[in-house]
Amino acid sequence: MRIRNKIMLVGGIPIAIAAGIAVAAWLLLSEAERARSGAVLAGAIYRDLLVAMSVRDDYVGANPAERDPHAERFRELAARAQVQLASLAPLARTQEQRREVTSFQDTLARYAARMDDYIAVTTVNDRLIAEMSLRAARLVTLAEEARARQHASNADIITTLTEKDQQLRRLRDIVDSAYQLRATLWGLQTVLQRPDGSDPSFALAQMQHAATGLGEALGTRRGGEARELGDLSRAAASAERADLAAITERLLAWCDRLLKIEVTAQRALQEEVAQLLTYSVEANETEQATQNVAVATLRLGQETHEALTRRDADLAERKLARSGELADIAAALPISPLIQTDMIDAITEWRERLGTTIEGIRKQNAMIADMD
């Protein structure tokens, strides 16, 4: 071998080795940079997904009117994570890593799709809950309207009772005075029938006093009867003893006719007052029961709303059962049929929406568990 070749061989080997080392170093640096970029990108994806899960929880707990911004934020984060995962795939060094990235992309896609399903169910539930609130408010309004009507009816009953009581008092005064007059007439007859010719002046004075009392009891409303009684009483006062007996008989007959009429009227009025009193008690109970329906509706609506807000389907089921009792109470109320029908319809519609909402809540809970 020539010297020049030997020199080239001796000098070229180190150069070749140095070049190989340089290439290897470049490859190692490239892999390190690739690994570092992958790690940074994976960390960014991890952070975005943590924020996305937090935003999902914010969406679940938010008021219906405040959900949309959380939903949009979740979609943005999920979409960005998908883009970042697509960028991470080329950085994978092994087939297994590439499979992991692909699997994670599929999982994230299912998670986002499940969240879209959850948003759709939640939107329906929020609408149903809002409609339930309207039905509950309508039911309270109807119950209050029925209570107000019943209250007005009760006031009318009290007015009627007061008038009937006054009429009954007047009838009682007339009947009592008529009985007193009849008793004095019997006493006068007894004196007139004595064979010893006893002086009837005292008995006649008692009769006239009783007749005056009866005339006052009859008053101006019974002016014709009062005048007839006054005429007979004055005739008795000026009559001779022989004519006094006949006038006394006429007064007794007049008094018996009056008593027959007034006692019958008194009994009828007493029965009417008793019926009014019974109806008044029932009306007060109805007013109270109607008010209880309104209070029970408010309480049940609040408790149900709290159960739905917590997504407690079992508690909401129990509230649904209680609402059936409320419907039975409303159906049994002796109130206006039109208002009663509207109340029953409002309760029925409220219960139907609650049943549908409970099914939606169970779906929501299953979706959250699946996403978790």
Side-chain angles (χ1 to χ4, degrees):
M1 182 179 293
R2 294 180 181 182
I3 294 175
R4 188 172 65 180
N5 292 336
K6 290 181 179 179
I7 292 172
M8 290 179 62
L9 179 63
V10 173
I13 289 174
I15 293 173
I17 292 173
I21 292 173
V23 171
W26 181 83
L27 291 173
L28 289 174
L29 287 173
S30 177
E31 285 295 318
E33 180 63 23
R34 184 179 183 182
R36 189 188 69 80
S37 298
V40 171
L41 193 55
I45 294 170
Y46 179 74
R47 288 191 298 273
D48 283 347
L49 291 177
L50 285 180
V51 174
M53 294 179 68
S54 176
V55 170
R56 184 209 69 176
D57 293 338
D58 292 339
Y59 176 88
V60 171
N63 293 324
E66 301 171 353
R67 294 192 199 275
D68 288 346
H70 298 298
E72 291 302 320
R73 178 63 173 156
F74 175 87
R75 292 190 179 102
E76 291 174 4
L77 291 168
R80 189 164 69 187
Q82 282 288 20
V83 172
Q84 291 170 334
L85 281 170
S87 300
L88 182 64
L91 299 178
R93 290 178 300 168
T94 65
Q95 187 66 28
E96 182 179 356
Q97 288 177 343
R98 285 190 286 274
R99 285 196 300 269
E100 288 294 330
V101 172
T102 301
S103 174
F104 195 74
Q105 285 177 311
D106 293 340
T107 301
L108 179 57
R110 292 199 308 272
Y111 190 94
R114 203 59 168 163
M115 184 62 183
D116 286 338
D117 293 341
Y118 182 86
I119 291 172
V121 172
T122 301
T123 301
V124 173
N125 278 2
D126 289 344
R127 177 177 58 78
L128 290 172
I129 292 172
E131 290 178 358
M132 286 170 55
S133 298
L134 292 176
R135 296 300 181 280
R138 174 61 176 162
L139 180 57
V140 172
T141 301
L142 289 169
E144 180 59 25
E145 182 180 349
R147 189 203 64 79
R149 286 192 177 189
Q150 192 61 57
H151 183 74
S153 176
N154 292 351
D156 291 340
I157 293 173
I158 296 301
T159 301
T160 303
L161 268 174
T162 302
E163 293 174 354
K164 297 297 182 182
D165 180 66
Q166 292 175 352
Q167 293 176 18
L168 189 58
R169 288 174 183 272
R170 288 194 294 269
L171 279 176
R172 187 172 59 245
D173 291 343
I174 291 172
V175 170
D176 290 344
S177 298
Y179 276 122
Q180 185 176 2
L181 175 59
R182 189 169 66 170
T184 60
L185 288 170
W186 285 343
L188 180 58
Q189 273 191 335
T190 301
V191 172
L192 293 175
Q193 291 172 0
R194 288 177 183 173
D196 57 0
S198 300
D199 185 6
S201 300
F202 181 73
L204 183 60
Q206 288 181 317
M207 184 275 292
Q208 289 177 324
H209 179 74
T212 300
L214 178 55
E216 293 174 353
L218 289 171
T220 57
R221 298 184 181 182
R222 309 286 290 273
E225 295 169 327
R227 284 193 296 273
E228 186 178 0
L229 174 61
D231 292 342
L232 289 172
S233 177
R234 286 189 292 273
S238 60
E240 298 294 334
R241 184 184 182 94
D243 298 328
L244 185 57
I247 296 174
T248 302
E249 284 293 337
R250 288 176 59 192
L251 271 170
L252 272 173
W254 181 92
C255 192
D256 287 340
R257 286 195 306 272
L258 180 68
L259 280 171
K260 184 177 181 179
I261 294 171
E262 299 304 320
V263 168
T264 301
Q266 184 182 32
R267 288 173 181 170
L269 191 57
Q270 285 174 338
E271 292 178 0
E272 187 176 353
V273 168
Q275 290 175 355
L276 283 171
L277 285 171
T278 301
Y279 185 71
S280 176
V281 173
E282 293 174 351
N284 285 327
E285 292 175 352
T286 299
E287 180 180 353
Q288 185 63 45
T290 307
Q291 186 173 358
N292 290 342
V293 168
V295 173
T297 300
L298 289 171
R299 184 182 297 113
L300 183 61
Q302 181 178 2
E303 293 173 353
T304 303
H305 185 270
E306 292 174 356
L308 297 178
T309 301
R310 298 198 304 267
R311 301 191 311 280
D312 190 337
D314 293 335
L315 180 58
E317 284 277 9
R318 292 195 290 273
K319 302 306 176 185
L320 179 61
R322 279 185 54 191
S323 66
E325 299 174 2
L326 188 63
D328 293 339
I329 294 173
L333 289 174
I335 58 177
S336 166
L338 182 60
I339 295 179
Q340 188 175 50
T341 300
D342 288 343
M343 289 177 67
I344 294 173
D345 289 344
I347 296 174
T348 301
E349 293 171 359
W350 186 88
R351 298 186 75 238
E352 289 174 352
R353 282 159 177 75
L354 178 56
T356 306
T357 305
I358 291 172
E359 294 178 5
I361 287 176
R362 296 193 188 281
K363 291 180 181 178
Q364 285 178 311
N365 292 340
M367 290 175 181
I368 289 176
D370 186 44
M371 283 189 285
D372 290 342

